[in-house]
């Protein structure tokens, strides 16, 4: 028997739920707000927007990030754009359509009410950002420009060249800086949250480490918001920043917070292929490139061989010998099929031997036709910085030779389970942005993560956190001298001392690479029961080996980057195992989760709505026991479940 | 290829630093500079030595974390890129490579190649924003059309990544280019013009107060800037500053 959990979705018609919620939610009187403390972990789009908004409302906010400045959070790297149902292009877009596209894109594994709210507030985000001075791309008439992204047939993506994340984050960072200067937000740069403190069943603070001095400090609050990003780095090689990690959410999980859909991760089809063993991270080439680039491999095996060996160049392959396999398999969406579909199609061609580099793991993304149609200037104005970035990394000029690309892990749909209020099952503990299991179901559409991060921080949490804090106005300042705080601090210190004294023989990176390889091969683009079981066993061995043999040099009381990494990798190993358990439990293929046992005759994902229309929410069990599954049943009242087709 | 590295090692701001020599072998030209540093660090860890500390995160030229002085140039020999985007194909077998931290009194050294750039956050906090509330009750995004030209120049200025190369390369350790980029980003937009006078005065004053030097028009900052932030921004800032000072005297 598994327990069923509730998501606290407000009553009423889908389109009225959020309005009703807002008009009936509890409020906190402005004079009481300054007596209430809120901790925000993270300064990416979700964290910075939440901290700035709550600070502006008059709460006492403390915001933490591990970088030297909040402006460097991983959100800065987002390239392509942000969605909003503005319908400025008059191409039939609406809140309803964005809602529908998101549910369908997520392969019917997300919660209707949350997704509808996301689509609804998307329009406010653009207004807000323009008011803040975010320099979105504009048309000659001075109005905002849009492009289209995978999985949709309208143009609703707002962008700032290939640097949309940077511009949005700087907007949020500036709003945050304004609150810092007013004293309503206190910023803790180069601080890492090490654990969360639970008092009487409520999240009441955190224990943090100053990364420069090693000092461990206690911080109490009436509510804690985790906006600490995704866990893509469990794969070692990913498009995430080097420091992106799961430790904050994993610590919350170990303290009782449910982890939702951990096996739902997104493999992005257009990344620069791996070039060697030394590789430390992978670089994304924005999905927006698929608007104008065509993806192909040679039709003939011997052509693919000769290209890989450098004997012939791609331009030697005449049109009829090219296989534009996305256009062939999915004529109505062509190169703009959603990410999961496009990634698997690339893997299928490469597994069949048509890969175009030495490792056999690359396909072409070709701009020849668009350059011919629009001219080089137009293509340069659209993607100039991406082409430049590609050339710097590979030394190839994409205006002349097609880009080589291959799928890589990019985003994690899974994360802390949250209800309609973005509250976890622990009272007072909220999760926002990529850190929660979010609105994207089993697959996220391009340009929707930025939208979700800002929606959570600017527009949702200010209401839902206030609603929660309304019951706390009498509580008063929370002491950090309690037993719970001391115990948490001791635990944190013990772990640090363990690492420094261990004196093992293998570096942290050694384990991280090994972990990444196991997860990529067994819980990556395609999965099966046997591999997943074997991965769970292998991870036990790695975990054991890690704790016995990891070597961390240096001391605690100064900047020690190896120590930081050790703590993060320890948590990734445990999370990796949970991902495999989740993938094993879900006997169906949906979105980014492809189980080889469940596919149609022509190799498309085979969903099972009868049995698996639920969110898997896992509860941490003792070290050596398997996690316990809870289910949130997904009820679709406004959308008809269909087999997803992009043909 | 094989290289000789001369790396600045310094335990903390309180300790004295020095150049230490290391050798690295079998470096592939396709490796990034930071991957070469990773390889050096792995070999140091194997020997039980403390690895070289350096700031980095995105490794794709956008977060502004990485900050190394390579062979006497911030972000190394190539133009318009950050350290993390530099690849080993820019070096030759047998070469000696000098690797040092940013040098500026306003960016104190924390450890090895890591410096404290929090002064940049303080400059932004002094007014590098538009004072609107985040409530979402703003007018429709298309209510005020903005000429594409202005939007584009605002964007160009806004692409500054806050790396600090401009300060590090300047003989006066001036933060003019960084500050001017923000001022010009915001004042190119109608939304930002309302506060432009108070903004320029308070940001420039903050910059002086933090101890950044004066600008003597050498222009090295723009040459070394990995994002191509142009000197025009400084000229624009100076004009705005003058205008604002005259206004406040009235
Ligand atoms: C290369 C790339 C391109 C992308 N492009 C797009 C795009 O075009 N459109 C789109 O919609 N999405 C895109 N995405 C996805 C999107 O960028 C992310 O999902 C989103 O920015 C996540 O924001 P966040 O605020 O949740 O977390 P992040 O921006 O990852 O921020 C996490 C924050 O948490 C802090 N933190 C983490 N752990 C701790 C801890 N233990 N203690 C203290 N602080 C901690 C970090 O310091 C940081 O401030 C892209 C992602 C990548 C990798
Ligand atoms: S102006 Fe250029 S060099 Fe200076 S901080 Fe900005 S990006 Fe770096
Ligand atoms: S590491 Fe982000 S710019 Fe170099």
């Amino acid at each position: 028997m598994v327990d069923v959990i509730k998501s606290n979705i407000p009553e009423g018609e889908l389109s009225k739920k959020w309005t009703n919620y807002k008009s009936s939610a509890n409020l906190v009187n402005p004079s009481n707000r300054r007596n209430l403390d809120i901790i925000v972990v993270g300064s990416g789009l979700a964290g910075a927007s939440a901290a700035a908004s709550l600070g502006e409302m008059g709460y006492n906010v403390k915001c933490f990030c591990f970088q030297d400045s909040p402006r460097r959070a991983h959100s800065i790297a987002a390239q392509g754009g942000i969605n909003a149902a503005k319908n400025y292009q008059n191409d039939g877009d609406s809140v309803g359509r964005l809602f529908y596209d998101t549910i369908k894109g997520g392969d019917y594994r997300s919660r209707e009410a949350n997704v509808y709210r996301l689509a609804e507030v998307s329009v406010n985000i653009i207004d807000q950002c323009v008011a803040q001075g975010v320099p979105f791309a504009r048309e000659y008439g001075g109005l905002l420009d849009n492009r289209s992204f995978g999985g949709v047939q309208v143009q609703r993506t707002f962008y700032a060249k290939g640097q949309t994340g940077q511009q949005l984050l700087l907007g949020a960072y500036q709003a945050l800086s304004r609150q810092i200067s007013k004293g309503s937000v206190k910023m803790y740069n180069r601080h890492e949250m090490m654990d969360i403190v639970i008092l009487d069943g409520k999240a009441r603070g955190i224990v943090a480490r100053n990364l420069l001095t090693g000092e461990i400090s206690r911080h109490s609050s009436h509510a804690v918001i985790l906006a600490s990003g995704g866990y893509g780095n469990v794969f070692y090689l990913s498009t995430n920043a080097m420091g992106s990690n799961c430790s904050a959410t994993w610590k919350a999980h170990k303290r009782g917070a449910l982890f939702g859909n951990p096996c739902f991760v997104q493999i992005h089809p257009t990344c620069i292929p791996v070039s060697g063993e030394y590789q430390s991270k992978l670089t994304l080439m924005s999905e927006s490139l698929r608007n104008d680039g065509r993806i192909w491999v040679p039709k003939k095996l011997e052509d693919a061989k000769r290209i890989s060996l450098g004997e012939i160049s791609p331009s030697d392959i005449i049109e009829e010998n090219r296989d534009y396999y996305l256009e062939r398999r999915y004529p109505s969406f062509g190169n703009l099929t959603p990410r999961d579909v496009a990634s698997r199609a690339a893997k299928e061609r490469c597994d069949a031997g048509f890969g175009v580099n030495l490792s056999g793991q690359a396909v072409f993304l070709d701009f020849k036709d668009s350059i011919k149609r629009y001219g080089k200037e137009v293509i340069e104005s659209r993607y100039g910085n991406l082409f430049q970035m590609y050339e710097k990394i590979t030394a190839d000029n994409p205006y002349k030779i097609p880009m080589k690309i291959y799928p890589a892990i990019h985003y994690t749909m899974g994360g802390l389970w949250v209800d309609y209020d973005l509250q976890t099952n622990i009272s007072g503990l909220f999760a926002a942005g990529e850190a929660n299991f979010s609105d994207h179901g089993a697959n996220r559409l391009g340009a929707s993560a930025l939208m979700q991060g800002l929606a959570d921080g600017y527009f949702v949490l200010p209401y839902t956190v206030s609603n929660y804090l309304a019951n706390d106005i009498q509580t008063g300042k929370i002491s950090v001298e309690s037993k719970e705080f001391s115990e948490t601090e001791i635990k944190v210190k013990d772990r640090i001392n363990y690492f420094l004294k261990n004196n093992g023989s293998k570096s942290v990176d050694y384990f991280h690479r090994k972990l990444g390889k196991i997860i990529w091969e067994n819980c990556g683009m395609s999965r099966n029961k046997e591999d997943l079981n074997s991965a769970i066993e292998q991870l036990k061995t790695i975990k054991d080996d890690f704790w016995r043999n990891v070597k961390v040099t240096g001391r605690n009381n100064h900047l020690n980057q190896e120590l930081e990494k050790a703590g993060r990798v320890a948590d990734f190993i445990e999370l990796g195992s949970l991902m495999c358990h989740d993938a094993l439990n879900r006997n169906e293929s949906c979105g980014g989760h492809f189980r080889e046992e469940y596919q149609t005759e022509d190799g498309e994902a085979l969903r099972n709505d009868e049995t698996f229309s639920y969110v898997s929410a896992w509860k941490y069990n003792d070290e050596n026991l398997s996690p316990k599954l809870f289910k949130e049943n997904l009820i679709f009242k406004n959308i008809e479940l269909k087999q997803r087709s992009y043909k | 290829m094989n290289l000789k590295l001369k790396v600045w090692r310094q335990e903390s701001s309180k300790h004295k630093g020095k150049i230490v020599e290391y050798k690295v072998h079998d470096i592939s030209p396709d490796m990034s500079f930071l991957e070469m540093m990773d390889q050096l660090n792995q070999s140091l860890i194997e020997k039980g030595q403390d690895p070289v500390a350096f700031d980095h995160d995105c490794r794709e030229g956008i977060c502004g974390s990485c900050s190394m002085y390579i062979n006497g140039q911030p972000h190394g020999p190539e133009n318009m890129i950050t350290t993390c985007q530099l690849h080993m194909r820019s070096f030759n077998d047998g070469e000696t490579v000098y690797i040092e931290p940013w040098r500026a009194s306003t960016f104190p050294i924390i450890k090895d190649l890591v410096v404290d750039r929090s002064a940049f956050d303080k400059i932004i906090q002094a007014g590098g924003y538009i004072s609107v509330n985040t409530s979402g009750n703003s007018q429709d995004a298309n209510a005020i059309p903005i000429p594409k030209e202005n939007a584009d120049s605002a964007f160009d200025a806004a692409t500054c990544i806050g790396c600090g190369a401009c300060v590090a390369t300047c003989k006066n350790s001036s933060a003019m280019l960084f500050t001017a980029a923000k001022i010009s980003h915001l004042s190119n937009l109608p939304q930002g013009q309302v506060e432009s006078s108070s903004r320029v005065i308070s940001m420039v004053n903050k910059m002086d107060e933090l101890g950044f030097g004066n600008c003597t028009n050498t222009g090295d900052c723009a040459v070394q800037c990995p994002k191509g932030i142009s000197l025009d921004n400084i000229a624009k800032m100076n004009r705005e500053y003058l205008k604002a000072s005259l206004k406040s005297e009235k």
Side-chain angles (χ1 to χ4, degrees):
Chain A
M1 243 310 274
V2 284
D3 296 87
V4 173
I5 41 175
K6 291 218 188 69
S7 43
N8 298 322
I9 298 171
E11 292 301 317
E13 213 180 293
L14 184 66
S15 61
K16 304 268 164 57
K17 285 181 195 291
W18 182 233
T19 316
N20 291 346
Y21 180 99
K22 286 192 289 187
S23 48
S24 62
N26 297 321
L27 298 175
V28 179
N29 176 309
S31 64
N32 283 327
R33 292 185 198 151
R34 70 181 83 93
N35 302 321
L36 290 165
D37 303 321
I38 301 174
I39 285 174
V40 179
V41 179
S43 66
L45 286 180
S49 58
S53 305
L54 294 163
E56 182 183 291
M57 290 169 81
Y59 294 108
N60 267 322
V61 180
K62 285 182 175 182
C63 180
F64 294 78
C65 75
F66 64 76
Q67 290 91 349
D68 68 331
S69 160
R71 67 179 288 152
R72 304 201 205 285
H74 165 61
S75 293
I76 198 93
Q79 300 172 351
I82 177 166
N83 288 331
K86 278 286 197 187
N87 194 28
Y88 284 159
Q89 305 304 324
N90 203 11
D91 54 4
D93 200 7
S94 63
V95 168
R97 188 179 286 273
L98 175 52
F99 160 71
Y100 174 77
D101 286 343
T102 309
I103 298 261
K104 175 186 174 200
D107 223 356
Y108 307 93
R109 291 293 172 265
S110 35
R111 195 188 284 152
E112 278 192 344
N114 286 52
V115 175
Y116 196 89
R117 175 178 62 192
L118 176 65
E120 211 178 323
V121 303
S122 70
V123 294
N124 303 111
I125 298 176
I126 304 303
D127 299 343
Q128 169 69 40
C129 292
V130 167
Q132 280 172 347
V134 171
F136 285 121
R138 288 179 182 266
E139 296 165 348
Y140 282 99
L143 301 180
L144 293 162
D145 193 16
N146 291 112
R147 48 167 65 142
S148 42
F149 255 51
V152 300
Q153 288 168 315
V154 292
Q155 291 196 315
R156 65 161 73 101
T157 305
F158 294 79
Y159 66 102
K161 278 208 180 145
Q163 280 143 271
T164 317
Q166 179 193 32
Q167 295 311 318
L168 294 173
L169 184 63
L170 291 179
Y173 160 75
Q174 286 164 203
L176 178 64
S177 297
R178 178 167 168 244
Q179 296 307 320
I180 295 173
S181 72
K182 288 184 169 178
S184 56
V185 178
K186 187 158 168 35
M187 189 68 217
Y188 291 80
N189 300 336
R190 292 205 201 258
H191 272 73
E192 180 153 336
M193 172 197 130
M194 306 300 284
D195 208 343
I196 184 151
V197 181
I198 314 273
L199 276 171
D200 301 328
K202 292 181 176 161
R204 289 302 199 191
I206 66 167
V207 168
R209 177 170 180 270
N210 179 330
L211 300 179
L212 299 183
T213 62
E215 187 202 345
I216 304 292
S217 51
R218 306 175 183 184
H219 305 266
S220 67
S221 65
H222 297 89
V224 177
I225 298 168
L226 298 184
S228 51
Y231 51 89
N233 276 346
V234 66
F235 288 84
Y236 185 66
L237 288 182
S238 85
T239 61
N240 286 9
M242 301 297 286
S244 298
N245 69 89
C246 73
S247 290
T249 50
W250 193 252
K251 291 290 159 33
H253 176 58
K254 287 181 98 166
R255 296 244 173 230
L258 299 172
F259 209 103
N261 295 334
C263 84
F264 287 168
V265 300
Q266 180 163 80
I267 314 275
H268 197 292
T270 54
C271 302
I272 301 181
V274 175
S275 76
E277 273 298 308
Y278 48 78
Q279 192 102 18
S280 60
K281 76 155 285 182
L282 295 170
T283 304
L284 173 79
M285 288 284 109
S286 166
E287 175 158 303
S288 58
L289 293 168
R290 290 201 271 145
N291 272 301
D292 289 304
R294 297 178 69 196
I295 295 179
W296 65 279
V297 292
K299 267 187 193 153
K300 300 184 187 153
L301 274 174
E302 76 256 26
D303 285 345
K305 283 269 135 52
R306 294 183 64 202
I307 289 181
S308 315
L309 294 169
E311 292 170 11
I312 52 172
S313 103
S315 55
D316 296 333
I317 312 287
I318 52 167
E319 274 308 307
E320 61 252 40
N321 288 335
R322 297 177 175 204
D323 177 11
Y324 295 93
Y325 58 85
L326 286 176
E327 297 168 31
R328 166 170 61 78
R329 286 179 66 179
Y330 308 100
S332 67
F333 280 72
N335 292 296
L336 287 173
T337 52
R339 295 174 173 178
D340 53 338
V341 177
S343 294
R344 274 198 299 280
K347 180 176 185 322
E348 188 276 329
R349 282 295 79 192
C350 292
D351 287 353
F354 294 95
V356 294
N357 69 356
L358 277 178
S359 67
Q361 300 199 325
V363 299
F364 289 126
L365 176 61
D366 200 337
F367 293 88
K368 182 179 60 110
D369 294 342
S370 314
I371 292 175
K372 208 185 285 164
R373 188 172 330 130
Y374 304 114
K376 190 180 165 216
E377 287 69 40
V378 172
I379 296 303
E380 188 172 351
S381 73
R382 288 185 190 161
Y383 313 110
N385 70 318
L386 295 171
F387 277 38
Q388 195 191 14
M389 180 147 108
Y390 180 86
E391 185 168 2
K392 272 167 200 158
I393 295 174
T394 62
D396 280 346
N397 176 349
Y399 294 102
K400 299 202 173 114
I401 326 168
M403 285 183 178
K404 283 186 196 135
I405 51 158
Y406 198 68
I409 172 71
H410 174 63
Y411 181 86
T412 53
M413 281 77 73
L416 289 180
W417 180 88
V418 288
D419 66 6
Y420 188 75
D421 286 12
L422 304 183
Q423 186 165 214
T424 67
N425 55 309
I426 298 179
S427 297
L429 180 65
F430 294 78
E434 201 174 333
N436 70 27
F437 88 106
S438 79
D439 305 340
H440 310 293
N443 175 55
R444 172 174 71 78
L445 291 179
S448 285
L450 301 183
M451 168 173 74
Q452 183 226 331
L454 290 180
D456 290 359
Y458 282 139
F459 302 122
V460 180
L461 289 173
Y463 290 95
T464 61
V465 171
S466 294
N467 184 48
Y468 171 77
L469 288 178
N471 297 318
D472 248 341
I473 43 181
Q474 309 281 8
T475 309
K477 193 108 195 127
I478 291 162
S479 158
V480 294
E481 301 306 328
S482 60
K483 174 170 113 283
E484 287 80 356
F485 266 100
S486 337
E487 280 170 6
T488 310
E489 179 176 332
I490 290 170
K491 204 170 140 211
V492 165
K493 286 183 168 161
D494 284 351
R495 178 147 122 154
I496 291 171
N497 290 334
Y498 180 93
F499 283 134
L500 292 170
K501 292 211 178 101
N502 195 39
N503 207 11
S505 55
K506 296 170 192 154
S507 71
V508 179
D509 281 4
Y510 165 87
F511 292 102
H512 199 174
R513 271 175 214 270
K514 266 190 120 157
L515 166 71
K517 196 151 181 282
I518 294 175
I519 303 288
W520 178 246
E521 283 170 1
N522 303 292
C523 198
M525 253 187 292
S526 76
R527 300 133 180 215
N528 64 57
K529 187 173 173 191
E530 197 183 330
D531 288 353
L532 288 165
N533 275 319
S534 131
I536 291 172
E537 288 312 308
Q538 291 179 59
L539 289 174
K540 283 186 190 149
T541 319
I542 294 223
K543 183 172 169 185
D544 197 53
D545 191 19
F546 175 83
W547 285 100
R548 265 179 230 270
N549 293 318
V550 71
K551 174 174 188 161
V552 177
T553 50
R555 292 175 283 114
N556 175 37
N557 61 355
H558 70 169
L559 177 65
N560 187 340
Q561 294 167 322
E562 285 301 301
L563 180 62
E564 294 165 29
K565 280 197 286 187
R568 294 172 189 163
V569 171
D571 296 336
F572 275 136
I573 297 175
E574 296 182 359
L575 170 69
S577 172
L578 183 66
M579 287 169 66
C580 296
H581 278 284
D582 187 37
L584 201 53
N585 167 69
R586 196 168 275 279
N587 290 317
E588 65 162 349
S589 293
C590 62
H593 170 65
F594 189 76
R595 278 283 299 269
E596 288 155 18
E597 302 94 320
Y598 308 97
Q599 53 180 307
T600 63
E601 265 168 22
D602 47 357
E604 302 296 336
L606 194 59
R607 231 175 50 220
N608 177 350
D609 294 330
E610 195 84 9
T611 323
F612 290 99
S613 283
Y614 62 77
V615 176
S616 316
W618 297 88
K619 189 165 169 43
Y620 184 79
N621 230 332
D622 185 70
E623 286 283 315
N624 305 307
L625 295 177
S626 293
K628 179 170 161 42
L629 178 65
F630 289 74
K631 290 178 182 175
E632 177 199 335
N633 289 322
L634 293 169
I635 297 152
F636 295 94
K637 287 198 190 137
N638 300 277
I639 248 178
E640 186 194 345
L641 272 70
K642 289 194 190 137
Q643 205 60 36
R644 212 163 49 132
S645 169
Y646 293 93
K647 289 203 184 241
Chain B
M1 57 188 159
N2 301 325
L3 298 168
K4 198 189 278 177
L5 306 179
K6 300 227 178 198
V7 185
W8 184 262
R9 301 300 310 257
Q10 180 169 345
E11 218 181 302
S12 76
S13 57
K14 293 186 200 88
H15 293 76
K16 260 191 138 157
K18 61 169 193 285
I19 292 276
V20 177
E21 190 178 301
Y22 301 101
K23 291 201 172 84
V24 287
H25 307 282
D26 300 325
I27 298 298
S28 152
D30 290 330
M31 255 185 196
S32 74
F33 194 84
L34 296 186
E35 284 165 349
M36 183 277 292
M37 294 298 289
D38 291 342
Q39 184 168 320
L40 166 69
N41 278 344
Q42 287 301 308
S43 71
L44 292 176
I45 295 167
E46 272 163 33
K47 289 184 225 150
Q49 295 172 19
D50 208 19
V52 180
F54 58 89
D55 266 326
H56 66 105
D57 200 21
C58 73
R59 294 206 176 185
E60 47 190 61
I62 193 77
C63 74
S65 294
C66 60
S67 45
M68 294 183 191
Y69 230 80
I70 302 165
N71 286 342
Q73 277 181 286
H75 298 302
E78 308 282 326
N79 280 338
M80 293 284 288
I81 58 172
T82 54
T83 303
C84 59
Q85 292 174 300
L86 180 64
H87 278 69
M88 297 313 292
R89 61 182 83 90
S90 304
F91 298 87
N92 301 313
D93 188 28
E95 199 177 324
T96 301
V97 184
Y98 284 83
I99 307 170
E100 293 167 89
W102 281 177
R103 303 256 184 221
S105 59
T106 39
F107 290 166
I109 292 181
I110 291 171
K111 189 182 174 197
D112 299 335
L113 307 172
V114 177
V115 301
D116 179 356
R117 285 170 288 190
S118 49
F120 269 8
D121 284 337
K122 297 198 180 100
I123 295 178
I124 300 295
Q125 284 156 20
Y129 45 75
I130 292 174
S131 301
V132 286
N133 283 352
T134 66
S135 59
N137 294 328
S138 13
Q139 61 181 343
D140 185 84
N142 259 347
I144 315 176
I146 301 177
K148 186 169 165 42
E149 247 173 64
N150 298 8
D152 286 350
S153 38
F155 171 83
D156 288 342
T159 57
C160 161
I161 56 173
C163 64
C166 47
V167 174
T169 198
C170 174
K171 62 181 191 321
N172 310 318
S173 298
S174 166
M176 289 289 264
L177 194 62
F178 168 80
T179 310
K182 188 47 61 193
I183 283 169
S184 163
H185 157 209
L186 296 175
S187 64
N188 267 316
L189 300 169
Q191 291 84 356
Q193 271 158 14
V194 186
E195 296 167 283
S196 61
S197 303
S198 55
R199 176 182 308 121
V200 69
I201 300 249
S202 96
M203 287 177 77
V204 168
N205 289 350
K206 186 51 131 191
M207 185 177 86
D208 293 344
E209 179 195 316
L210 290 164
F212 289 99
N214 282 328
C215 174
T216 46
N217 294 316
T218 317
D220 222 19
C221 51
V223 176
Q224 298 297 347
C225 171
K227 295 292 141 182
I229 304 294
S230 121
L231 285 180
D232 298 347
N233 292 306
I234 297 188
K236 189 173 164 76
M237 174 169 86
N238 286 337
R239 278 199 304 276
E240 293 230 353
Y241 189 79
L242 195 67
K243 213 165 63 188
S245 322
L246 292 174
K247 212 161 55 185
S248 64
E249 273 166 25
K250 261 191 237 158

